[in-house]
Amino acid sequence: GNRIPTWNQLVHEGEWKRALERLLDTNNFPEFTGTTCPAPCEEACVLGINESPVAIKSTELAIIEYGFSKGWIKPHPPQVRTRKRVCIIGSGPAGLAAAQQLNRAGHLVQILERADRGGGLLMYGIPSMKLAKTEKVLRRLQLLKDEGIEF
């Protein structure tokens, strides 16, 4: 579901950790969407009729980066493994999200990537001026490895 109003309100109230929890309920990688999404929702926001629209994209990015800076984003490997093995072909955003969800469910996940490093579209399709590869992509790939996903 849409948790945007909830995490916006929590940020307004200074409840950044709770805002981060709500954001991560429905978005595996807000550091990517908060950076690369063109945010058509902001342009369509009805508040724009009388005042500035809600800045969803920048708020989303601020929440996740604040979480990283505070050390709240940590690897969470599953406590129980199902012993089922899953192989994901490709390490673009969809492959990474699928791998993370399957890993959280306790499956042993391996990602196969034809390129020399993971990230797919994030690493090779989005210009560096739009998405900081070492800061955001490699940081997330390391977190996924630390959660038990094999690359």
Side-chain angles (χ1 to χ4, degrees):
N2 182 355
R3 303 272 173 106
I4 295 169
T6 303
W7 49 257
N8 269 328
Q9 184 63 35
L10 289 167
V11 167
H12 176 72
E13 295 168 359
E15 295 284 341
W16 286 83
K17 191 165 190 178
R18 289 182 55 214
L20 176 64
E21 291 165 0
R22 292 300 70 77
L23 175 60
L24 292 173
D25 282 346
T26 57
N27 188 336
N28 289 65
F29 312 122
E31 66 270 33
F32 303 148
T33 55
T35 304
T36 61
C37 176
C41 55
E42 292 180 18
E43 189 176 314
C45 180
V46 294
L47 282 178
I49 296 169
N50 297 320
E51 54 189 278
S52 297
V54 177
I56 295 168
K57 180 178 172 178
S58 60
T59 304
E60 177 180 35
L61 185 58
I63 293 169
I64 190 67
E65 291 303 328
Y66 190 73
F68 273 112
S69 74
K70 289 293 190 180
W72 297 337
I73 311 293
K74 297 177 182 169
H76 294 287
Q79 293 184 344
V80 177
R81 289 286 183 185
T82 64
R83 300 184 69 202
K84 294 179 181 176
R85 298 186 63 79
V86 179
C87 182
I88 304 286
I89 308 297
S91 64
L96 294 176
Q100 187 176 52
Q101 292 299 321
L102 290 164
N103 187 59
R104 287 178 178 171
H107 305 308
L108 297 166
V109 180
Q110 180 180 18
I111 298 176
L112 299 180
E113 172 60 53
R114 72 176 171 188
D116 63 334
R117 56 186 169 175
L121 176 71
L122 298 167
M123 191 60 76
Y124 297 104
I126 298 172
S128 294
M129 64 187 174
K130 191 145 173 90
L131 177 63
K133 313 301 174 139
T134 54
E135 179 188 343
K136 293 185 179 10
V137 180
L138 296 180
R139 175 180 67 186
R140 180 56 74 166
L141 291 175
Q142 186 59 54
L143 190 64
L144 294 172
K145 289 176 188 174
D146 293 345
E147 290 179 347
I149 296 172
E150 295 179 37
F151 286 82

